[in-house]
Amino acid sequence: MRTLYVEITRRRTLRLSERWGWRASDANGKVIATSHEGYHNEDHAEKMAHQLFDGHPYYKVNWR
């Protein structure tokens, strides 16, 4: 079973508004997946990442 690291990130758009997203990387630090959509708050980004990765049969997920 592989370890997958998922972190919630904050970023700014060109309009200088803050958006939240998530990024999943493997043990070597290689980014495997990112959220394309920018979420308005941290809780929503985290909720969407949990829906996607919790209970995944091939990965042990570590939340950062």
Side-chain angles (χ1 to χ4, degrees):
M1 183 175 295
R2 293 179 161 177
T3 301
L4 185 70
Y5 298 95
V6 179
E7 62 183 315
I8 306 302
T9 60
R10 181 172 50 180
R11 54 188 172 210
R12 291 185 175 264
T13 63
L14 292 175
R15 292 182 225 147
L16 299 178
S17 61
E18 290 185 350
R19 297 288 184 183
W20 292 86
W22 52 263
R23 176 175 46 223
S25 58
D26 64 8
N28 295 329
K30 181 178 178 185
V31 176
I32 295 173
T34 61
S35 61
H36 176 71
E37 180 178 353
Y39 300 101
H40 291 285
N41 60 48
E42 184 178 12
D43 292 335
H44 192 213
E46 187 173 356
K47 177 183 174 185
M48 298 309 288
H50 276 284
Q51 286 182 357
L52 184 61
F53 294 112
D54 274 352
H56 197 286
Y58 301 113
Y59 293 105
K60 175 181 175 250
V61 178
N62 286 336
W63 297 94
R64 292 184 179 178

